[in-house]
Amino acid sequence: MTGSRPDPHPPRSPLLDATAGALAGCISRLVIGPLDVLKIRFQVQLEPIGTASQKLAARQAASKYTGIGQALKTIAAEEGIQGLWRGTVPGLLLTIPYTAVQFAALQEARAAAQKWGLMQTSFAPAVSFVSGAVAGAAATVASYPFDLLRTTLAAQGEPKVYHSMGQAAQGIMKEKGVRGLYRGVNVTLLEIIPYAALQFGLYDAFTSAYTKARHSITHPEAGKGSERPRGDAWARFACGLAAGTLAKLATNPLDVAKKRYQIAGLQRSTIYGAHISNEYVSSLRTVLIQIYRNEGIRGLYKGSSLSVLKAAPAAAITFAAYEFFIGYLSGVQAATTAVARRH
């Protein structure tokens, strides 16, 4: 059975979505930078963490980072406070094209679904998930080298292997060629497609459910309200928080594998743990099996608490900031158009 549903995402200029997405992504990146560094350090550490892995740990060296608080203190003591924002420049260079392409592709996918009449069918709820997957894949391909460079710089510790993003890019290309800048992109796509689908799909589902519930309470005599809680910043923040949390928990093992791919062959100091060799990442299946055998089930969820601590507020901040900038830029655009028409 089908029913007529208004499109909750009216078409806009792709440039408007790209600009709002890029600005929102930059704000989110600066806020969660230290959590990103901590997450990467835990995920590329081969040694088991914590007392639950005592049998495995007995066969291996002790891990350098054993907890969030200890890791924060260690990095700050050894590398200074700036060490907690290591990789921020390539992180921002990653974020700008990633979020710009992501939000622009998201709206284009939704516009295509509207054009094909899918928003007026029972497939409408699935459009958000599919659009999110398409947007995530497009954004990943557009920005992947910056993701790899950011991970490399954040993971290397002291003494530095590379002192700048340019030096890291040159070193990787010298050793592995241009293809080295895309190492792990296939694993990243396998991770990002379900992650983005869940993040955007759940965000739309949560905001739609919130708006309908609120509308039924405040206007019980009226029909369905709008699909998204425009003007309710806290509701958007909470919906983004919940969507980011669930999406990250579902895809964390693939995120751990991706980080191992990205720094394979990096000759960082052994005080940070065993080196990840190129042979270690011969295939995704091999990486996942080795993580499980050598580090236990907890190895597949290394950094998961940090991933949630990072991804949940990052999603919340990004969605809230995006909605703010869309509203602001749309207002500026409308005002500019009105002035131009009068003249």
Side-chain angles (χ1 to χ4, degrees):
M1 180 177 179
T2 63
S4 178
R5 296 178 47 155
D7 181 15
H9 311 285
R12 291 186 293 263
S13 163
L15 179 60
L16 195 68
D17 281 295
T19 303
L23 291 171
C26 286
I27 292 173
S28 177
R29 168 65 58 186
L30 289 172
V31 172
I32 55 87
L35 295 175
D36 198 36
V37 171
L38 289 179
K39 179 178 76 78
I40 290 171
R41 294 289 177 93
F42 275 106
Q43 288 183 329
V44 301
Q45 182 174 260
L46 298 184
E47 293 73 23
I49 300 171
T51 57
S53 301
Q54 286 178 349
K55 290 183 179 179
L56 290 169
R59 294 188 265 120
Q60 300 185 23
S63 57
K64 181 175 179 63
Y65 303 118
T66 58
I68 295 175
Q70 180 266 349
L72 277 170
K73 291 178 182 178
T74 300
I75 293 174
E78 295 179 352
E79 305 169 43
I81 294 298
Q82 67 272 19
L84 294 171
W85 273 270
R86 182 161 285 177
T88 294
V89 173
L92 286 171
L93 291 175
L94 155 70
T95 296
I96 291 171
Y98 185 90
T99 50
V101 171
Q102 184 181 49
F103 280 102
L106 182 73
Q107 295 302 330
E108 289 300 298
R110 286 169 171 166
Q114 176 70 13
K115 181 179 179 181
W116 296 336
L118 295 177
M119 299 305 296
Q120 286 73 45
T121 72
S122 57
F123 291 105
V127 169
S128 292
F129 290 90
V130 176
S131 298
V134 171
T140 295
V141 172
S143 62
Y144 188 78
F146 294 114
D147 186 17
L148 184 136
L149 292 172
R150 174 206 51 147
T151 298
T152 300
L153 293 177
Q156 64 182 349
E158 293 285 349
K160 296 182 180 70
V161 178
Y162 303 116
H163 293 270
S164 68
M165 184 179 66
Q167 188 183 50
Q170 290 178 352
I172 291 170
M173 286 192 293
K174 182 178 180 180
E175 181 183 350
K176 304 171 184 175
V178 176
R179 292 180 61 184
L181 295 175
Y182 286 88
R183 177 164 228 171
V185 68
N186 54 339
V187 178
T188 303
L189 287 171
L190 285 174
E191 176 215 358
I192 205 65
I193 288 174
Y195 174 73
L198 287 169
Q199 185 183 47
F200 284 100
L202 291 173
Y203 177 73
D204 281 347
F206 292 154
T207 54
S208 178
Y210 167 82
T211 302
K212 288 176 182 176
R214 181 178 178 182
H215 196 269
S216 67
I217 293 172
T218 57
H219 301 86
E221 73 288 349
K224 294 181 179 179
S226 63
E227 293 290 318
R228 303 178 76 183
R230 302 274 183 191
D232 194 332
W234 283 111
R236 292 195 298 270
F237 187 89
C239 291
L241 193 71
T245 299
L246 294 174
K248 181 52 69 176
L249 285 174
T251 57
N252 195 78
L254 289 173
D255 191 34
V256 175
K258 178 186 82 171
K259 293 297 189 294
R260 304 282 173 96
Y261 266 88
Q262 289 181 327
I263 72 156
L266 179 66
Q267 295 300 311
R268 63 178 186 164
S269 172
T270 54
I271 66 171
Y272 296 98
H275 290 155
I276 298 176
S277 66
N278 292 321
E279 291 74 22
Y280 180 96
V281 294
S282 58
S283 72
L284 174 60
R285 180 173 178 272
T286 298
V287 172
L288 292 173
I289 289 175
Q290 287 192 79
I291 292 173
Y292 178 73
R293 286 179 177 173
N294 298 326
E295 303 165 55
I297 191 68
R298 292 185 66 187
L300 294 170
Y301 284 88
K302 267 185 178 175
S304 59
S305 57
L306 284 162
S307 290
V308 171
L309 284 174
K310 171 204 165 189
I317 293 168
T318 299
F319 280 123
Y322 170 76
E323 296 285 5
F324 168 80
F325 285 121
I326 276 292
Y328 176 78
L329 293 173
S330 295
V332 171
Q333 186 180 56
T336 302
T337 302
V339 170
R341 285 176 178 172
R342 284 200 298 268
H343 291 82

